[in-house]
């Protein structure tokens, strides 16, 4: 007898008979699904309630997973998805009972801080997830929560006999649309799918409606309820046997080409060669994109990673990187007879006077080493955790400007530097004027603030 595990289903039964080989577990239980022959997963609000605190507020109308359980929630989702895919890959079938609530919001544990001092404001980030889409691995499935009992059953499907046997127990809480699934049961307008089946790896994904509504049984009919559930589960075992029956195809059959398919085989061979050619072209283009990604570090990174890509940019522009002693300035530069000393910072907020103070210290030490007063450049990646279109606060607040201007420092963001670099790739002649602009600027560089001309943010 095949073993069955019921995961977060509405079959609220405790099985004490070991011979039944049926276990009823919560979604968050550590029990592995890989130990069972048949897995039936209820995708419904019971999953959410395992991690949801009633004292927690909702977010955008969806239940917000408890902050202390969000990491467990995501880890459990990933674990169950891996197990589902592993079962399908080995030829087992997975059954999903579609309930009535799939979306929720969880804490990502990412934060950003805007403002300073008493005006500092911490923003905790959350993200929305559709549990059904995630577990079914169907990003384009569209599910509508709606209850009903009147259905149309499509004849001559892989599930026809099963549906015919359990028809009296069917009620639905959702219907869906998805091209991957062959319809088995639809709403009476034949537009929306209530139950369907899809081949996945070596097994099948089967979406079922709710079966056996416990609310329709009173206390005197509990034994009848149990019998009905046992009947449904036995039919699932029978269905699973029918879906798992295979006739192994010998390899030599693939070498037999029928007379009415010869031209199609030749056409497919021609298409395959075209595909391979396109894949080669795509890989070359993708390599360029992958190599180009390093420049995006100017938009999000900090520390050594940010310093290294900034050095790369200046080297490509033709600057000489001068040696710097340990624990000294981030970058010392030379271009022709012009010298520069740089302080480079990746920040989750705006720059401050302490950054200008540090840069001034590097300038003094540079003079001690070279007896030359270099131009000071403060290069900062401010609000680095935010998308560009959300970086609305000043990168260089007014409080730090008098000091930076007095010390003849040029203040520039890494986004401005990237925009200049992208412009320079189109026209190398602009470099000299850009260097002159940096040298003559005491305070904020007023060029390349229109990042939208060089960087497109897509949804």
């Amino acid at each position: 007898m095949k073993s069955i595990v019921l995961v977060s289903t509405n079959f609220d039964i405790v099985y004490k008979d070991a011979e039944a080989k049926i276990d009823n577990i919560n979604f968050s239980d550590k029990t592995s699904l890989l130990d069972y022959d048949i897995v039936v997963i209820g995708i419904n609000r019971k999953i959410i309630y395992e991690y949801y605190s009633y004292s927690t507020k909702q977010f955008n109308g969806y239940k917000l997973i408890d902050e202390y359980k969000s990491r467990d929630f995501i880890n459990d989702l990933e674990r169950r998805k891996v197990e589902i895919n592993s079962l399908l890959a080995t030829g087992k079938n997975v059954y999903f009972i579609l309930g009535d609530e799939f979306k929720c919001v969880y804490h990502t544990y990412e934060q950003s801080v805007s403002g300073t001092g008493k005006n500092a404001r911490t923003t905790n980030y959350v993200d929305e997830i559709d549990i059904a889409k995630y577990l079914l691995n169907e990003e384009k499935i569209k599910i509508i929560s709606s209850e009903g009992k009147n259905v149309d059953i499509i004849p001559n499907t892989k599930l026809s006999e099963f549906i015919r046997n359990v028809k009296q127990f069917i009620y639905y809480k959702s219907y869906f649309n998805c091209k991957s699934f062959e319809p088995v049961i639809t709403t009476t307008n034949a537009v929306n799918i209530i139950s369907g089946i899809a081949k996945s790896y070596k097994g099948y994904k089967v979406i079922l409606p709710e079966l056996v509504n416990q609310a329709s049984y009173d206390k005197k009919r509990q034994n009848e309820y149990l019998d009905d559930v046992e009947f449904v589960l036995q039919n699932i075992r029978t269905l699973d046997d029918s879906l798992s029956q295979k006739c192994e195809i010998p390899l030599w059959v693939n070498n037999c080409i029928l007379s009415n398919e010869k031209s199609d085989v030749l056409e497919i061979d021609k298409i395959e060669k075209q595909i391979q050619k396109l894949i080669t072209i795509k890989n070359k283009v993708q390599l360029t994109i992958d190599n180009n990604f390093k420049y995006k570090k100017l938009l999000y990174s900090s520390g050594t990673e940010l310093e290294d890509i900034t050095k790369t940019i200046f080297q490509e522009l033709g600057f000489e990187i001068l040696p710097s002693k340990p624990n000294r300035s981030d970058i010392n530069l030379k271009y022709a007879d012009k010298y520069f000393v740089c302080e480079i910072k990746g920040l989750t907020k705006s720059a401050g006077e302490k950054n200008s103070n540090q840069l001034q210290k590097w300038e003094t030490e540079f003079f001690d080493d070279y007896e030359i007063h270099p131009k000071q450049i403060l290069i900062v990646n401010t609000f680095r955790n935010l998308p560009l279109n959300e970086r609305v606060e000043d990168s260089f607040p007014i409080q730090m400007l008098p000091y930076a201007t007095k010390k003849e420092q040029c203040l520039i963001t890494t986004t401005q530097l990237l925009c200049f670099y992208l412009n320079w790739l189109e026209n190398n002649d602009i470099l000299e004027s850009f260097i002159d602009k940096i040298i003559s600027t005491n305070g904020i560089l007023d060029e390349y603030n229109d990042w939208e001309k060089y960087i497109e943010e897509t949804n």
Side-chain angles (χ1 to χ4, degrees):
M1 181 183 296
K2 287 185 175 181
S3 60
I4 300 178
V5 61
L6 306 173
V7 187
S8 294
T9 68
N10 287 322
F11 296 142
D12 297 324
I13 301 172
V14 177
Y15 294 92
K16 297 179 180 179
D17 183 2
E19 294 184 0
K21 294 186 178 181
I22 299 173
D23 287 334
N24 202 342
I25 67 173
N26 292 325
F27 189 82
S28 58
D29 286 356
K30 297 305 178 184
T31 305
S32 172
L33 306 185
L34 302 179
D35 287 349
Y36 298 88
D37 300 310
I38 300 173
V39 174
V40 183
I41 301 175
I43 305 181
N44 50 50
R45 65 181 62 189
K46 291 182 71 173
I47 295 177
I48 298 173
Y49 283 175
E50 289 185 46
Y51 308 89
Y52 170 72
S53 172
Y54 287 93
S55 61
T56 305
K57 296 180 180 179
Q58 293 193 349
F59 187 89
N60 286 346
Y62 296 120
K63 290 182 174 60
L64 178 60
I65 299 299
D66 191 290
E67 183 175 1
Y68 300 103
K69 294 184 179 180
S70 284
R71 196 173 303 281
D72 289 338
F73 172 67
I74 293 302
N75 288 342
D76 289 341
L77 277 176
E78 292 176 351
R79 174 167 60 93
R80 293 308 189 197
K81 186 172 184 177
V82 168
E83 291 174 347
I84 289 169
N85 289 338
S86 297
L87 290 166
L88 293 168
T90 57
K92 292 184 179 180
N93 311 305
V94 181
Y95 302 85
F96 301 90
I97 296 180
L98 213 53
D100 58 354
E101 192 167 359
F102 321 104
K103 293 183 180 180
C104 62
V105 178
Y106 64 94
H107 290 267
T108 66
Y109 301 107
E110 295 182 4
Q111 293 182 333
S112 67
V113 180
S114 58
T116 57
K118 294 182 179 180
N119 295 323
R121 179 184 175 186
T122 300
T123 301
N124 295 310
Y125 290 97
V126 298
D127 202 358
E128 178 186 313
I129 189 168
D130 187 313
I131 297 174
K133 286 184 178 181
Y134 186 83
L135 293 178
L136 288 166
N137 202 21
E138 296 287 349
E139 187 59 36
K140 294 185 178 181
I141 191 171
K142 183 178 180 181
I143 307 173
I144 303 296
S145 295
S146 183
E147 297 187 16
K149 291 184 177 180
N150 295 325
V151 302
D152 283 343
I153 299 174
I154 298 176
N156 302 321
T157 70
K158 295 180 177 66
L159 273 63
S160 292
E161 184 175 354
F162 168 79
I163 297 300
R164 184 167 58 251
N165 290 340
V166 302
K167 180 180 178 181
Q168 60 180 315
F169 303 114
I170 292 174
Y171 68 106
Y172 64 88
K173 291 187 176 181
S174 299
Y175 50 75
F176 67 95
N177 284 291
C178 183
K179 293 182 179 179
S180 302
F181 282 82
E182 174 191 352
V184 176
I185 307 174
T186 66
T187 53
T188 52
N189 62 0
V191 174
N192 303 296
I193 306 172
I194 294 171
S195 175
I197 184 170
K199 187 71 175 177
S200 182
Y201 301 105
K202 295 181 180 179
Y204 287 99
K205 292 187 291 189
V206 181
I207 295 180
L208 298 174
E210 291 285 2
L211 297 164
V212 189
N213 186 359
Q214 188 177 22
S216 64
Y217 296 78
D218 56 29
K219 291 182 179 180
K220 297 180 181 179
R221 301 173 61 214
Q222 286 304 299
N223 288 334
E224 182 182 346
Y225 168 70
L226 178 59
D227 291 341
D228 289 344
V229 172
E230 293 283 7
F231 177 79
V232 167
L233 295 181
Q234 186 54 47
N235 273 275
I236 288 179
R237 281 195 174 108
T238 303
L239 169 63
D240 196 72
D241 288 338
S242 68
L243 293 178
S244 300
Q245 290 177 357
K246 299 176 182 177
C247 178
E248 294 296 329
I249 303 174
L251 293 176
W252 58 264
V253 173
N254 294 325
N255 297 324
C256 297
I257 301 175
L258 306 183
S259 59
N260 65 340
E261 66 180 1
K262 185 174 182 179
S263 61
D264 292 331
V265 171
L266 293 174
E267 182 66 21
I268 287 176
D269 184 61
K270 179 181 177 181
I271 293 171
E272 287 289 346
K273 291 178 180 178
Q274 292 173 341
I275 290 173
Q276 289 302 317
K277 184 177 179 180
L278 289 173
I279 289 174
T280 301
I281 296 172
K282 177 190 173 183
N283 289 340
K284 289 181 179 179
V285 176
Q286 187 63 52
L287 182 61
T288 301
I289 293 174
D290 293 342
N291 290 334
N292 204 45
F293 187 85
K294 63 186 178 184
Y295 300 108
K296 296 180 183 179
K297 293 178 181 180
L298 289 168
L299 304 177
Y300 69 88
S301 66
S302 62
T304 302
E305 191 173 29
L306 183 62
E307 293 171 15
D308 289 343
I309 188 57
T310 305
K311 287 179 183 179
T312 298
I313 290 284
F314 280 116
Q315 285 176 317
E316 291 189 28
L317 292 173
F319 284 76
E320 178 185 352
I321 307 295
L322 299 178
S324 178
K325 295 179 181 179
N327 300 319
R328 291 286 189 90
S329 61
D330 293 330
I331 304 179
N332 294 329
L333 300 171
K334 179 183 179 184
Y335 187 88
D337 59 348
K338 302 175 181 69
Y339 293 84
F340 307 85
V341 62
C342 304
E343 168 73 354
I344 303 169
K345 281 290 180 184
L347 304 171
T348 57
K349 55 184 179 180
S350 63
E353 191 170 315
K354 65 179 181 179
N355 303 122
S356 288
N357 287 333
Q358 188 64 62
L359 179 56
Q360 177 58 38
K361 179 182 177 183
W362 300 147
E363 194 275 344
T364 301
E365 293 179 351
F366 187 98
F367 181 78
D368 291 341
D369 293 338
Y370 295 96
E371 296 185 352
I372 295 172
H373 285 292
K375 177 64 180 180
Q376 301 178 54
I377 312 176
L378 177 59
I379 307 173
V380 289
N381 182 18
T382 51
F383 307 106
R384 65 184 183 86
N385 288 340
L386 294 177
L388 296 182
N389 60 9
E390 294 182 21
R391 302 182 188 185
V392 295
E393 296 187 39
D394 292 335
S395 292
F396 304 102
I398 194 170
Q399 299 95 316
M400 69 177 293
L401 296 184
Y403 180 87
T405 302
K406 180 181 178 181
K407 296 301 181 181
E408 298 183 350
Q409 296 177 349
C410 177
L411 312 179
I412 181 174
T413 67
T414 53
T415 303
Q416 287 175 284
L417 180 61
L418 176 58
C419 290
F420 165 74
Y421 174 75
L422 295 172
N423 194 21
W424 174 79
L425 290 175
E426 300 293 329
N427 180 12
N428 293 169
D429 294 337
I430 65 174
L431 178 60
E432 297 286 347
S433 61
F434 184 68
I435 293 173
D436 291 340
K437 184 68 175 178
I438 289 176
I439 293 173
S440 62
T441 297
N442 297 326
I444 302 173
L445 186 76
D446 59 4
E447 295 188 356
Y448 295 99
N449 289 306
D450 49 346
W451 59 264
E452 296 93 339
K453 290 176 58 177
Y454 308 96
I455 304 168
E456 180 182 353
E457 280 193 321
T458 58
N459 294 327

